[in-house]
Amino acid sequence: MDQQRSGASQRPASRLAVGVVSAGRVGSVVGAALTRAGHRVVAASAVSDASRERAARHLPGAEILAPPDVAAAADLLLIAVPDDAIAALAASLPVRPGQLWVHTSGALGAEVLRPARDAGALTVALAPAMTFTGRDEDLQRLEGISWAVTGEAEARFVGEALALEMGGEPEHVDEADRARYHAALVYAANHVTTLVNDAADQLRAIGVANPERLMSPLVSASLDNALRHGDAALTGPVSRGDAGTVARHLEALAGTGIAETYRVLARRTAERALESGRLKSSDAEGLLEVLARSTEEDR
């Protein structure tokens, strides 16, 4: 494997002319990361004012062109458009045999680029395990992250080499597993944002002036503990089987819009606590009754 990866890395090491379709939050930053790795972004597509501003900031040497012209100018075509648009785009752009086509979707594998592969391109799915907000720190956050790599053997090795060049760690994900892989990341990252903002709304509603400051140490410690210690990091009333407290929580949250979410997550937390031995079956009985009762009442 090391010899194969070393051999594959020779292709990116030749310094490629990169085309970016399009210069959105992801494409502009990954294009900048490729520039930092020594490649040269020669062209990008950018329709909106925000995309043009990102291209000017992150891809200053790139000529703004229509997508077919970007593809024609590139040795490495970076496709960073919404997932549902990739297939149609891949079928519409010109292909030069020997080109490298890369898309950044976490949910899709390399198969969506089959029209380019059938026309002689190397195709690889190369998705950064990172969230992009459009802020300046996005580029710095790429250092050391994982990149999900999917493709046939030669293309996959080239994708791994690109990830390493950008300061990341390649993680091979099979074509059939991309949706599950992406679902796991969305479940963790996107839902954390929703949960934190929902909690901030509840605190704000009872008069807490700066809920973000109040929650920051607690939420940061909880995330750190979860990543370090797994289920051993579970604390709180559910892991203790404290049914009375959970019942009071559900009563207080009734009518807020998040009571059902709280109930579902409490049930899932109880399941994990039971499976890991953090919660005894005898202590869980009352808790599970409260959670089941709230479900019946909601009906």
Side-chain angles (χ1 to χ4, degrees):
M1 176 64 76
D2 289 341
Q3 290 179 346
Q4 289 173 309
R5 184 175 295 177
S6 175
S9 67
Q10 292 176 7
R11 177 178 178 131
S14 65
R15 306 304 101 190
L16 302 173
V18 179
V20 179
V21 180
S22 64
R25 292 181 180 181
V26 178
S28 60
V29 172
V30 176
L34 289 168
T35 299
R36 189 169 62 181
H39 302 290
R40 186 167 59 94
V41 178
V42 296
S45 66
V47 176
S48 69
D49 290 341
S51 291
R52 288 178 176 273
E53 188 277 328
R54 279 190 289 265
R57 180 156 42 104
H58 292 300
L59 313 172
E63 186 176 2
I64 304 303
L65 301 172
D69 296 323
V70 174
D75 300 321
L76 188 168
L77 182 64
L78 179 70
I79 297 175
V81 298
D83 295 356
D84 291 347
I86 295 175
L89 185 65
S92 70
L93 296 179
V95 182
R96 189 171 67 251
Q99 275 183 313
L100 175 62
W101 281 42
V102 176
H103 78 68
T104 60
S105 166
L108 300 174
E111 184 62 24
V112 71
L113 299 178
R114 175 176 282 277
R117 185 168 77 241
D118 289 346
L122 282 176
T123 57
V124 61
L126 183 64
M130 181 46 61
T131 181
F132 294 82
T133 65
R135 300 179 182 275
D136 290 339
E137 60 264 26
D138 286 348
L139 181 58
Q140 282 65 47
R141 284 176 172 167
L142 293 187
E143 188 67 32
I145 70 166
S146 294
W147 296 73
V149 183
T150 303
E152 295 184 345
E154 183 182 358
R156 190 174 80 238
F157 294 139
V158 173
E160 291 174 349
L162 287 171
L164 290 168
E165 284 189 342
M166 289 185 286
E169 290 292 332
E171 183 74 36
H172 173 64
V173 178
D174 286 339
E175 182 82 28
D177 293 331
R178 292 287 292 210
R180 189 174 185 180
Y181 164 85
H182 191 240
L185 297 191
V186 167
Y187 187 87
N190 296 171
H191 294 175
V192 162
T193 300
T194 300
L195 289 171
V196 168
N197 287 326
D198 276 348
D201 287 345
Q202 298 306 309
L203 294 173
R204 206 173 283 113
I206 62 170
V208 176
N210 190 342
E212 294 79 10
R213 181 187 62 78
L214 185 153
M215 289 191 300
S216 180
L218 172 66
V219 174
S220 296
S222 296
L223 177 58
D224 183 63
N225 287 339
L227 293 173
R228 289 174 181 268
H229 307 299
D231 287 324
L234 281 173
T235 63
V238 173
S239 67
R240 296 192 299 267
D242 194 341
T245 296
V246 171
R248 285 188 289 275
H249 288 175
L250 288 166
E251 183 179 359
L253 293 172
T256 64
I258 68 168
E260 176 63 10
T261 303
Y262 181 101
R263 185 195 67 77
V264 170
L265 289 174
R267 177 82 188 198
R268 182 63 187 135
T269 301
E271 291 170 351
R272 293 200 69 96
L274 282 165
E275 291 168 0
S276 64
R278 303 288 293 176
L279 177 63
K280 295 180 181 178
S281 297
S282 57
D283 294 333
E285 292 178 4
L287 172 68
L288 295 177
E289 286 177 6
V290 165
L291 295 172
R293 185 166 65 246
S294 68
T295 302
E296 293 169 0
E297 291 171 354
D298 290 342
R299 292 174 184 169

